[in-house]
Amino acid sequence: MHPPLDRPHPKCEHLAKALIQCHEDNQISKFFGACNDVKVLMDKCFKEEKEEKRRANFEEAQRFKQKFEARRRGSTNKNLALG
């Protein structure tokens, strides 16, 4: 199973179009594996794309966490000075 092909997939767009074209060209034989080679390549591309997004989200979360912790420590230090 793959994600919807109508959504933007910048790195895999050429493979998504190739799979759609293969399905159009092979109305019956697509059910018997005529388009499997293209689909395997597309799935691999989607997996790489997802890994890149996951890595970017993780790095962004780490940066946010560092900023949050720095602000929290800063406010804790201010509270200690007042108390």
Side-chain angles (χ1 to χ4, degrees):
M1 199 71 184
H2 54 75
L5 300 178
D6 59 340
R7 295 183 186 163
H9 298 281
K11 295 187 179 205
C12 306
E13 190 69 31
H14 64 286
L15 293 170
K17 288 180 181 178
L19 183 65
I20 291 169
Q21 186 63 44
C22 183
H23 283 180
E24 289 174 3
D25 294 345
N26 301 294
Q27 293 290 322
I28 302 297
S29 59
K30 68 182 177 184
F31 298 112
F32 300 104
C35 302
N36 284 355
D37 294 340
V38 176
K39 182 167 182 334
V40 168
L41 292 173
M42 188 185 66
D43 287 342
K44 184 177 179 181
C45 185
F46 282 162
K47 185 176 181 180
E48 291 170 1
E49 186 179 72
K50 185 176 180 178
E51 180 61 27
E52 288 176 16
K53 285 182 182 180
R54 188 200 64 77
R55 188 176 298 116
N57 287 340
F58 179 76
E59 290 171 1
E60 182 180 345
Q62 291 299 318
R63 286 190 300 272
F64 176 81
K65 184 178 177 181
Q66 288 173 350
K67 287 180 186 178
F68 180 79
E69 289 295 326
R71 287 184 181 167
R72 190 173 65 92
R73 282 191 299 264
S75 67
T76 302
N77 290 340
K78 289 178 186 174
N79 289 340
L80 291 176
L82 295 175

